[in-house]
Amino acid sequence: MAVAALTFAAHHILHSKPKPSSSVFLLNSTTLKTTITFNNFISISSASPFFLPRHKSTQTAAVASSSSSSVLELGGVKITKQDVVKDEPTNNVPDLIFTKLGLQLHRRDHHPLGILKNAIYDYFDTNYNNQFHKFDDLCPIVTTKANFDEVLVPADHVSRSYNDTYYVDAETVLRCHTSAHQADLLRKGYSNFLVTGDVYRRDSIDSTHYPVFHQMEGVRVFTPSDWNNSGIDGTLYAAQDLKACLEGLARHLFGAVEMRWVDSYFPFTNPSFELEIYFQEKWLEVLGCGVMEQEILKRAGKTDNAAWAFGLGLERLAMVLFDIPDIRLFWSTDKRFTSQFTKGQLGIKFKPFSKYPPCYKDMSFWINDSFTENNLCEIVRGVAGDLAEEVVLIDNFTNKKGMTSHCYRITYRSMERSLTDEEINELQWNVRDQVQSQMNVELR
Ligand code: DAH
């Protein structure tokens, strides 16, 4: 899938460039932005899946039902389902996403994500004499202020849209990156820290995209005494230290690989870079990083300091390090997956236990102005859960009347068993039904 290939690199990193599917909410005027976003969202209510009664989605096959009265504890905060999934226009969190809250795969020592997190911890503990504070249990429900404003994400940035981010209400989101905790931890006085956590993004469906994934954020703050005798300024000092630190980390994880630095852009850093390594005959983007914007430090009361920050996606690295071919596997509770990994062992290669046959179903419809691929994928996931392997646009044309038709191919496949024809047909009918009624498109 061409779009997927392009967005693979972007998926775990919050870039400035809008993705094609997100452009509906890309607005230009700074002051009006937030209001317009909400107004747009509300005005398309009849076509949006999120305005329909929640019980609509309970007819779905694969979504685990979680008791609405049970209380989750996330980073010391007590949460019920009603706190997160609300039948209100400013909320777009589906049931399926709620079921992922609190699973914290990165805190399981025998899980590939936990093994990777611990290997990164080892690197920092050893090389920085245990100076880095480690957080891996901060609540993923954060304010828009923390997720966006405090890390200087512009008011018209695509990541703020309802199409890209899960909103609990107009001022509260499921964090879309671990950078959401930077400012708060700086204010609390931490100057060397790592934050690992589950992050949430509305996205397409394929082997490398899943609406919940895991990131690690690193921050290190310097004082003038650190760079005064070096003959270079704080920014350059931080940039040099950052590069040395992350090159060491990449070697710690991947061995003696070839590396390169690519200039990049992030709202929170300047200059910004990406580190790529040459691994298995391809350049692989490992992380995004840079010298922290002075404004972030200033607002945290650190006027005279300089700092670096980085953010990395644990799944993309773990897929490469453990040879895991599909991102859904991280969520598998099948013993044939879970039993293959051992605490503290980074080098283990996953042996696929079997490949069950895929089943392809095509569907065509005339789209409308509010159509987005992320909304379509949300419906497909709501119906089929992890049985949905891929959703690809395979045909696209506009007729003389100006109507645009899209044909999507949905691949259904279980990682754990063979699916029956009846089961898949029922899923597909459900998808068709919900796409038609919730997205208000005309099936062809
Ligand atoms: N927050 C970025 C993302 O979601 C990743 C990132 C890039 C974090 C650069 C950083 C950084 O701290 O300096 O993709």
Side-chain angles (χ1 to χ4, degrees), residues 281-313:
E281 273 139 58
K282 277 198 276 284
W283 283 104
L284 171 80
E285 183 199 312
V286 176
L287 50 80
C289 63
V291 177
M292 188 179 287
E293 279 288 359
Q294 206 58 45
E295 180 65 19
I296 300 179
L297 286 168
K298 198 173 109 194
R299 291 189 198 173
K302 296 181 182 291
T303 350
D304 300 326
N305 301 77
W308 56 240
F310 72 83
L312 55 83

Side-chain angles (χ1 to χ4, degrees), residues 9-15 147 151 176-180 182 199 201 213 215-219 242 264-274 285 287-292 308-313:
H11 178 53
H12 299 107
I13 303 287
L14 189 79
H15 283 278
N147 197 73
V151 279
C176 71
H177 56 175
T178 44
S179 308
Q182 270 191 19
V199 299
R201 292 187 199 171
F213 58 100
Q215 284 190 331
M216 188 188 289
E217 190 85 6
V219 169
L242 170 71
S264 186
Y265 167 86
F266 300 104
F268 13 91
T269 46
N270 187 15
S272 304
F273 316 100
E274 274 162 27
E285 183 199 312
L287 50 80
C289 63
V291 177
M292 188 179 287
W308 56 240
F310 72 83
L312 55 83

Side-chain angles (χ1 to χ4, degrees), residues 298-358:
K298 198 173 109 194
R299 291 189 198 173
K302 296 181 182 291
T303 350
D304 300 326
N305 301 77
W308 56 240
F310 72 83
L312 55 83
L314 292 177
E315 274 84 348
R316 66 180 291 119
L317 299 189
M319 285 177 85
V320 177
L321 287 164
F322 294 92
D323 266 354
I324 295 173
D326 191 301
I327 197 163
R328 291 172 293 168
L329 281 163
F330 290 107
W331 300 90
S332 176
T333 51
D334 191 314
K335 281 265 176 332
R336 291 171 295 174
F337 176 77
T338 55
S339 67
Q340 293 197 29
F341 306 99
T342 309
K343 180 178 173 179
Q345 294 196 18
L346 197 59
I348 293 173
K349 298 294 177 205
F350 170 65
K351 290 177 216 63
F353 32 90
S354 53
K355 195 128 169 119
Y356 296 95

